[in-house]
Amino acid sequence: ETGVTQTPRHLVMGMTNKKSLKCEQHLGHNAMYWYKQSAKKPLELMFVYSLEERVENNSVPSRFSPECPNSSHLFLHLHTLQPEDSALYLCASSQDRQATYEQYFGPGTRLTVT
Amino acid sequence: GENVEQHPSTLSVQEGDSAVIKCTYSDSASNYFPWYKQELGKGPQLIIDIRSNVGEKKDQRIAVTLNKTAKHFSLHITETQPEDSAVYFCAASSYSSASKIIFGSGTRLSIRP
């Protein structure tokens, strides 16, 4: 395993629900990331945290709200989602926020919005 | 901004044959090019990377080549095996781009027995 865990692995939610995705890394890394993976599209970087501070927000709609309480945990809070938000959400971590460090990915949460 | 194009989107090769996946990038400042492999039900995992100061790098059956002038790089897998079946992603970034790494759209590689 990569040392990055994500829960839940699968999530089905209605458009009016509120849910949260959880990510935990056991690697002692300083940077954590949320990506969205849709079929036949490149991975889309959503948020980057470095030492618990958000350093990048790639024009993500406000219905996605990240939280990083410490350097080992990352959450993605979801509310009022749209069907097009259905995708695989991947969490990753790296030693540092520099893009030239290897990123370690979790297995992802498969989200379906009904 | 950076854009990474990856081809082909799907590739099927006979076991034992070679597979080649190609990528092009647009930002001439890019100088780091990793390749990730994603198996079913798992997240992407780094398999090899190359930096702009070298033209080729090998690791057992996999190799990556880089042509900075043409702004393209390729992944070569020789003597393919069933466990090579996966989705492969190329990516590009630069030392100055901080946390920004741009991925290609992926190639689904299938190895026929």
Side-chain angles (χ1 to χ4, degrees):
Chain A
E1 298 304 322
T2 63
V4 180
T5 59
Q6 290 186 244
T7 55
R9 294 294 307 275
H10 300 272
L11 178 62
V12 179
M13 60 185 289
M15 294 168 59
T16 58
N17 290 160
K18 290 184 179 181
K19 296 286 184 182
S20 295
L21 310 185
K22 179 183 176 182
C23 175
E24 183 174 0
Q25 58 101 355
H26 311 272
L27 302 168
H29 288 165
N30 292 324
M32 296 187 77
Y33 312 78
W34 279 117
Y35 285 90
K36 177 183 179 182
Q37 185 175 31
S38 304
K40 299 184 180 180
K41 292 176 69 175
L43 275 76
E44 301 173 52
L45 180 64
M46 301 174 71
F47 302 103
V48 181
Y49 276 82
S50 177
L51 296 171
E52 302 148 47
E53 178 184 347
R54 189 190 313 181
V55 296
E56 191 142 349
N57 176 349
N58 284 333
S59 304
V60 179
S62 59
R63 57 185 184 269
F64 295 91
S65 176
E67 178 190 1
C68 187
N70 55 63
S71 59
S72 299
H73 293 86
L74 186 65
F75 294 89
L76 187 63
H77 303 299
L78 316 171
H79 65 96
T80 325
L81 294 191
Q82 305 297 312
E84 60 264 29
D85 296 323
S86 298
L88 182 69
Y89 288 85
L90 291 162
C91 172
S93 71
S94 63
Q95 182 178 337
D96 187 84
R97 61 172 286 202
Q98 263 292 338
T100 52
Y101 281 99
E102 177 178 357
Q103 294 190 13
Y104 293 76
F105 286 85
T109 294
R110 174 69 62 186
L111 174 66
T112 303
V113 181
T114 61
Chain B
E2 174 68 281
N3 183 49
V4 176
E5 299 282 341
Q6 182 172 348
H7 299 279
S9 58
T10 59
L11 179 61
S12 178
V13 301
Q14 193 75 34
E15 182 177 350
D17 288 351
S18 296
V20 180
I21 302 170
K22 299 181 179 182
C23 290
T24 59
Y25 60 98
S26 59
D27 188 353
S28 56
S30 293
N31 50 19
Y32 174 66
F33 307 91
W35 286 87
Y36 283 81
K37 175 184 180 182
Q38 186 174 22
E39 297 176 340
L40 196 61
K42 297 183 178 181
Q45 186 171 1
L46 181 73
I47 54 172
I48 194 168
D49 57 14
I50 189 168
R51 299 177 193 270
S52 59
N53 56 344
V54 297
E56 184 176 5
K57 183 177 179 181
K58 287 185 179 180
D59 183 2
Q60 299 182 337
R61 295 187 296 107
I62 60 173
V64 58
T65 58
L66 171 65
N67 183 328
K68 286 207 70 180
T69 303
K71 289 193 277 189
H72 66 71
F73 55 113
S74 301
L75 178 72
H76 304 252
I77 306 174
T78 59
E79 301 172 21
T80 53
Q81 300 172 4
E83 55 264 35
D84 295 329
S85 293
V87 179
Y88 292 81
F89 294 93
C90 63
S93 70
S94 70
Y95 293 105
S96 62
S97 65
S99 47
K100 196 83 168 184
I101 181 168
I102 306 299
F103 287 87
S105 54
T107 296
R108 182 172 298 279
L109 175 63
S110 300
I111 308 300
R112 303 191 303 271

